[in-house]
Amino acid sequence: MRPDADLLILGGGCAGLSLGMQLADQAPPAERTVILEARTEYINDRTWCFWRLAPHRFERLIAHSWPAMAIRSKQRSVTVDCRLTPYQMLEATPFYAEAQGRINRSKNVDLVLGAGVRDTPRRVGKMWQVETDNGPLTARHVVDTRPPRPSRTSDAMLWQSFFGQEIECTAPVFDPTTVGLMDFAEARTDDVLFHYVLPLSPCRALIETTVFGPRPLAAADLAIVQAAAVKRLGHGAGFRVLRAESGVLPMGMTTRFPVPGPGYSRAGLMSGAARASTGYAFQRIQRWAQAAAESIRRGGPPIGHEPGPALQRAMDRLFLRVVRDHPDRAPDLFIRMFGNADPARVIRFLSDQGTVADCAVIGSTLPLQLFLGEMLKGMVAMPGALREAA
Ligand SMILES: Cc1cc2nc3c(=O)[nH]c(=O)nc-3n(C[C@H](O)[C@H](O)[C@H](O)COP(=O)(O)OP(=O)(O)OC[C@H]3O[C@@H](n4cnc5c(N)ncnc54)[C@H](O)[C@@H]3O)c2cc1C
């Protein structure tokens, strides 16, 4: 029996659409692909930010580019010149529109909205059978970008929860040349809390309250702190809220979700897309989409996310353990990193492009005793963990 498609992509968000665009652009046309998305329409539900280390395919869609960024704590403040690798913002609406446009123009990729996928697809002979709200579909390959199940606290070492509001003030109170990357209001003992300010004009900014903590938080949990932050960072000017966004990102996944069989891969936020130390996923998703499309073009199966270099992973995990166990030290750690190392190195490292020398220089800015102590704790805990795993 002929399958309905060569490839079914489950979920048409950032990861599903990014792969869809790569396949739509392929010449000669790639496999016949159908993207199944539960939503019936796209809204401006998020903004993606990243450092521009090289030209990229979304240049035209960039809403704002900042040549400088500031990291502030009660004790110290650092402003970093990043004009060679500016911090850029891409809004969801133009991204979704670009993806839909490219996919609509292609002959081999279709996007179906309002097509919720039910449960885990079943292997039937050499095909996958996928139950959708519109009936069953079959395919040789599946890329599943849905969250595998509702998240559990234990799925990640830390969680990054945030709630942001884009506001327009009645007075010019923002400096649109400098992003407030991390503005730590106070050192806390249970989690790390800071504000993130993307100034879009002297009167307009996206202000977010972010927490790195042991469990995911809802937007409502952050609402009171956010209200105070908007007042403080807006210097008390009158304002109106234009839109809001919120999210929860895993930092250092501890659960790996298995794939149910051959020709099936997982991708997206909960399946390896999020960088452990930052939760950022957009650029990693773009690199994965390109690699997965290339694998398909060569006749191979779709692939999942690469885990990244071992040194980077080890540094991320150690850093997260230190932040988890000593959240009151976090403001100082971030200020040291950006203030004492060449910012170009830090930006490369946070963008997955760090060299061994970058890692060494960044490591040398951090308090040795604190990190050695955490390493020792990890080594003492290791035999127990190994016994448990055995
Ligand atoms: C508000 C917000 C801001 C962010 N900002 C940044 C940033 O600045 N920089 C950065 O690098 N990363 C950022 N991220 C993290 C990450 O880049 C995004 O979460 C990104 O959208 C992840 O892509 P994804 O495809 O895994 O998930 P999504 O984009 O959420 O896509 C998953 C899709 O699957 C669909 N779906 C779910 N279940 C089903 C089902 N049963 N059937 C069919 N479809 C289904 C959903 O409707 C959704 O469209 C942000 C995340 C959020 C939430």
Side-chain angles (χ1 to χ4, degrees):
M1 199 179 82
R2 216 174 113 78
D4 298 307
D6 295 308
L7 170 65
L8 287 176
I9 300 177
L10 315 186
C14 183
L17 293 176
S18 298
L19 179 57
M21 276 191 272
Q22 290 283 348
L23 295 172
D25 289 353
Q26 277 186 356
E31 307 202 327
R32 210 182 95 63
T33 299
V34 179
I35 306 172
L36 300 168
E37 167 56 42
R39 290 185 252 191
T40 51
E41 62 172 339
Y42 290 104
I43 56 165
N44 204 18
D45 60 351
R46 61 200 67 191
T47 47
W48 287 288
C49 287
F50 47 83
W51 287 279
R52 179 189 184 275
L53 268 71
H56 56 77
R57 62 178 359 199
F58 303 110
E59 307 271 10
R60 270 186 318 108
L61 309 180
I62 293 299
H64 207 97
S65 236
W66 291 272
M69 54 193 189
I71 301 96
R72 300 189 186 96
S73 73
K74 286 268 182 243
Q75 288 73 33
R76 202 176 148 201
S77 156
V78 177
T79 300
V80 169
D81 179 344
C82 61
R83 82 188 78 168
L84 294 179
T85 53
Y87 195 65
Q88 298 195 315
M89 175 175 129
L90 170 63
E91 288 183 298
T93 291
F95 172 86
Y96 294 141
E98 171 80 5
Q100 283 178 287
R102 285 196 199 197
I103 289 167
N104 286 345
R105 285 192 295 277
S106 85
K107 290 196 173 65
N108 57 310
V109 185
D110 286 321
L111 168 64
V112 187
L113 297 182
V117 174
R118 299 174 185 168
D119 308 321
T120 303
R122 274 188 316 126
R123 188 87 173 143
V124 179
K126 290 191 170 172
M127 285 187 286
W128 288 101
Q129 181 160 329
V130 177
E131 298 299 329
T132 80
D133 293 344
N134 309 331
L137 284 173
T138 53
R140 283 193 305 124
H141 292 134
V142 169
V143 174
D144 195 347
T145 75
R146 298 170 300 164
R149 57 161 164 70
S151 298
R152 293 183 190 145
T153 300
S154 59
D155 285 336
M157 292 174 72
L158 277 176
W159 293 92
Q160 179 177 155
S161 312
F162 54 94
F163 171 45
Q165 292 167 310
E166 190 175 325
I167 60 164
E168 186 163 58
C169 290
T170 50
V173 289
F174 301 114
D175 168 10
T177 65
T178 306
V179 167
L181 196 66
M182 298 177 120
D183 186 329
F184 296 96
E186 65 203 22
R188 292 156 57 103
T189 48
D190 294 336
D191 55 25
V192 182
L193 186 147
F194 63 89
H195 302 290
Y196 173 59
V197 184
L198 300 174
L200 302 164
S201 78
C203 294
R204 201 157 61 92
L206 176 63
I207 298 180
E208 290 196 357
T209 297
T210 303
V211 170
F212 294 172
R215 60 193 70 78
L217 300 176
D221 299 324
L222 304 172
I224 293 175
V225 187
Q226 169 70 6
V230 167
K231 214 167 160 185
R232 178 173 67 85
L233 296 163
H235 300 276
F239 68 88
R240 68 187 176 108
V241 176
L242 304 176
R243 62 174 198 95
E245 66 176 52
S246 62
V248 175
L249 312 178
M251 299 178 80
M253 290 290 299
T254 48
T255 304
R256 264 184 86 94
F257 296 101
V259 291
Y264 197 108
S265 70
R266 291 192 188 279
L269 194 68
M270 297 302 291
S271 299
R275 172 75 185 272
S277 58
T278 63
Y280 279 24
F282 183 79
Q283 285 180 312
R284 291 162 66 93
I285 286 174
Q286 302 316 311
R287 284 193 290 275
W288 158 78
Q290 205 174 357
E294 181 56 22
S295 168
I296 292 167
R297 192 184 64 77
R298 291 187 181 166
I303 55 171
H305 294 277
E306 290 292 331
L311 178 59
Q312 176 185 297
R313 278 185 286 140
M315 282 183 71
D316 277 7
R317 296 190 93 75
L318 180 59
F319 189 77
L320 287 178
R321 286 218 310 266
V322 169
V323 170
R324 184 190 60 194
D325 295 350
H326 307 276
D328 55 320
R329 303 286 299 270
D332 175 53
L333 300 180
F334 285 102
I335 296 248
R336 278 173 183 250
M337 205 156 56
F338 280 101
N340 300 354
D342 173 358
R345 290 191 187 277
V346 183
I347 290 170
R348 275 200 300 270
F349 177 72
L350 295 180
S351 308
D352 286 5
Q353 310 290 315
T355 61
V356 173
D358 294 337
C359 294
V361 170
I362 290 165
S364 72
T365 65
L366 300 170
L368 186 64
Q369 226 179 344
L370 186 63
F371 280 74
L372 273 181
E374 202 59 48
M375 263 168 89
L376 276 174
K377 250 171 48 189
M379 282 156 78
V380 170
M382 190 97 77
L386 288 177
R387 264 201 311 277
E388 271 169 33

